[in-house]
Amino acid sequence: MTLQTTRRATLASAGAATAALVSAPRLRAAGELDVIVIGAGLSGLLAAQILEDGGLSVRVIEANSRVGGRVRTLLDKPQTPESGGSEVGPLYARVIDQLDKFGLVRRPWQIEQIDFALNVGGTLMKAADWPASPLNKLPESMRGLPLPALNAMLMPRPSGLAELDSWLEESRNDPDPSLREHFISKGANEEALRFLELLGQADSLDGESMLWARRNQKISEWGRGQGPFNHVVGGMSRLPMAMAEALDGDVVMNTPVSALSADEAGVTVTTSDGKQHRARFVVCTLPAPVLRGIKFDPLLPALQAEAVASIPFGQSTSVFFAIKDRFWETDGMGSSLWTDGPAGRAYHWLIPGGEYVWMYLTGIASKPIRAFTEAQIIAYASQQLVTARPSMAGRIEPIAAVNWSANPWSRGTFSYRAPGQIAKYGNIAAQAHGRIHFAGEHTAVMQSGMEGAMESGERAALEILQRL
């Protein structure tokens, strides 16, 4: 099977299912909507598209002033930085299908050009000098491993999962230790654990499930060797903008949802302005941390409510700097930076629309600034970068900062699972609640990130079409 056939297979089957369901008998009152989709990210927009293709009337309600959710190209800033999801995997079938549909062009991600300098314990050095550095207190078996990829190097290869969805099945049989327990089993000492914690999504390695990490490893294995990741010319935000523009129904912006009330005939959606919207079904794509603030009538089942209340999301802040002068030529080191201090990671990032420094503070590195304003974040980030790498002084200039932790419509980045959560909850967060169906990246099974978001939106839309 060719790559083209592989990535089209899911879309072909979904299209056939949609076509078969279009003719299903359906009755609705005059002027009544068939479906309200909550959230205009990739998940909600694809669900709306599939539902409209199935002959249903759809309204999308979005809390933010823009579409895209956690896809956000800073189109109004110099170099148009990508502050959210942007790397398109070679087997992102749904994402690629949509990019092709709207004529959006892809270019290979220039990941091979990322070359790190290190700052460990306040000492700046070339990455090549790390293995023999007196600061390197890692176990002998790990001394030569690259710090920016230490976590990936200690993951099982292969993942041990037979299929992309095997993580749900395996949770019933296999123990699910924390990442800390796994890394200790691989010989990690306290120094290694300190570095590994800097690379995690959670504030502690105790908070991340090893089975979830194996799931992500399986996704990487599945796509390995199938071609490069890509960036979108003009910015990834061009895709959700095009998807929203192509819908027949309304896309209502700046309208947070506060309550969902369902009965045998439909669902009433109450928004924060006090207005009520009525439809036969709802697709709710809100991230779990935001979903926790929605009032449900009737209440979610106890286990599903517990899952929604406890599924963790990663925390991160991105700060972008224009490159005024090539600072790496001044100090003779790699153009990107990895630190074990407050400067976190700073990538020399290249996309089709620009070249910039992307400072990425995630997990515990983001903790001190999660409540900061953009101006405070930029001041903090600028100081930390110059302290960690003096050659940056006067050679970079702030563009913008995006704090996903403080964003009220995301409250984090990607979902993950704590140890034991997969066995306890499975994927119950995706379970329909009467006429309310759930989607969003945190409910995906086969994929993660942008493709996972679209996978979940497709599933929720087909669930509704199958009920008609």
Side-chain angles (χ1 to χ4, degrees):
M1 182 176 286
T2 65
L3 172 60
Q4 184 74 2
T5 303
T6 300
R7 75 175 181 83
R8 296 286 181 176
T10 301
L11 276 299
S13 61
T18 303
L21 293 165
V22 169
S23 60
R26 54 187 177 85
L27 298 173
R28 68 168 178 261
E32 182 185 41
L33 286 166
D34 287 312
V35 186
I36 290 173
V37 175
I38 301 172
L42 294 180
S43 178
L45 293 171
L46 184 61
Q49 182 187 114
I50 292 170
L51 291 163
E52 286 193 346
D53 287 347
L56 304 187
S57 59
V58 180
R59 174 177 297 156
V60 179
I61 299 178
E62 168 58 48
N64 213 330
S65 59
R66 61 175 183 83
V67 300
R70 282 165 283 168
V71 169
R72 186 185 176 191
T73 310
L74 304 184
L75 296 170
D76 60 338
K77 300 295 184 180
Q79 309 301 322
T80 59
E82 296 282 10
S83 70
S86 62
E87 288 82 49
V88 179
L91 298 183
Y92 276 23
R94 300 165 185 85
V95 175
I96 293 172
D97 185 78
Q98 292 293 309
L99 291 170
D100 290 348
K101 177 177 180 176
F102 295 106
L104 295 170
V105 178
R106 307 185 303 279
R107 292 286 182 267
W109 178 22
Q110 300 182 53
I111 189 172
E112 71 282 351
Q113 296 190 28
I114 297 177
D115 179 20
F116 283 100
L118 305 178
N119 187 307
V120 179
T123 298
L124 187 65
M125 69 183 79
K126 296 179 179 180
D129 295 336
W130 169 245
S133 170
L135 296 172
N136 190 336
K137 306 298 184 182
L138 295 177
E140 187 63 34
S141 63
M142 300 180 191
R143 286 179 61 85
L145 298 180
L147 283 180
L150 187 61
N151 55 351
M153 302 297 291
L154 296 181
M155 296 305 293
R157 295 172 183 264
S159 66
L161 299 177
E163 303 292 344
L164 289 172
D165 58 354
S166 293
W167 59 280
L168 286 170
E169 179 67 28
E170 292 296 324
S171 70
R172 302 170 190 164
N173 308 311
D174 288 0
D176 185 14
S178 68
L179 285 186
R180 178 180 293 275
E181 291 171 306
H182 167 72
F183 291 138
I184 289 174
S185 75
K186 294 297 182 182
N189 60 10
E190 285 303 313
E191 183 74 347
L193 293 171
R194 183 174 72 86
F195 292 141
L196 288 161
E197 201 153 63
L198 296 171
L199 295 163
Q201 291 196 85
D203 291 347
S204 167
L205 292 172
D206 294 313
E208 294 193 53
S209 155
M210 180 57 193
L211 183 54
W212 185 257
R214 288 172 61 203
R215 178 243 193 198
N216 293 333
Q217 182 78 2
K218 179 63 180 180
I219 293 171
S220 297
E221 288 171 7
W222 187 70
R224 191 171 296 133
Q226 297 295 335
F229 276 66
N230 286 270
H231 282 121
V232 174
V233 175
M236 191 67 208
S237 283
R238 300 291 183 190
L239 179 57
M241 292 165 65
M243 294 173 72
E245 181 67 25
L247 293 175
D248 293 329
D250 297 334
V251 180
V252 182
M253 307 299 295
N254 301 300
T255 307
V257 168
S258 57
L260 297 174
S261 178
D263 53 41
E264 292 184 358
V267 185
T268 299
V269 178
T270 302
T271 52
S272 60
D273 56 9
K275 293 182 180 178
Q276 293 187 331
H277 306 251
R278 180 77 176 175
R280 299 167 70 199
F281 298 95
V282 158
V283 174
C284 182
T285 72
L286 301 180
V290 181
L291 191 59
R292 293 164 196 162
I294 303 299
K295 181 179 179 181
F296 284 90
D297 181 22
L299 296 174
L300 292 174
L303 190 64
Q304 187 175 21
E306 184 181 323
V308 169
S310 60
I311 290 175
F313 270 57
Q315 303 298 312
S316 79
T317 295
S318 292
V319 192
F320 305 98
F321 295 86
I323 301 171
K324 296 169 61 179
D325 194 13
R326 298 167 75 87
F327 54 87
W328 57 92
E329 293 182 352
T330 298
D331 61 22
M333 299 190 186
S335 57
S336 296
L337 176 67
W338 188 97
T339 83
D340 66 344
R345 286 164 272 175
Y347 300 93
H348 175 205
W349 209 244
L350 296 100
I351 60 172
E355 173 187 15
Y356 49 86
V357 170
W358 169 33
M359 184 181 185
Y360 186 49
L361 300 172
T362 186
I364 58 174
S366 73
K367 198 170 184 178
I369 61 171
R370 289 176 190 168
F372 279 19
T373 65
E374 182 177 14
Q376 289 172 324
I377 290 170
I378 288 174
Y380 173 91
S382 300
Q383 178 184 352
Q384 298 301 338
L385 277 183
V386 170
T387 299
R389 189 164 189 174
S391 66
M392 287 185 166
R395 294 182 173 88
I396 59 172
E397 185 173 62
I399 297 174
V402 175
N403 183 356
W404 288 106
S405 300
N407 185 306
W409 317 128
S410 65
R411 298 181 185 170
T413 51
F414 300 109
S415 67
Y416 61 98
R417 300 294 186 272
Q421 283 190 331
I422 297 171
K424 185 174 184 179
Y425 302 128
N427 198 30
I428 198 172
Q431 181 175 293
H433 179 48
R435 289 176 173 264
I436 303 170
H437 292 253
F438 294 98
E441 172 263 341
H442 65 287
T443 71
V445 172
M446 309 286 280
Q447 288 290 330
S448 60
M450 296 185 295
E451 182 68 10
M454 285 199 174
E455 172 200 318
S456 71
E458 177 186 272
R459 171 194 45 77
L462 294 179
E463 286 174 353
I464 290 174
L465 290 171
Q466 288 166 353
R467 296 179 66 168
L468 297 177

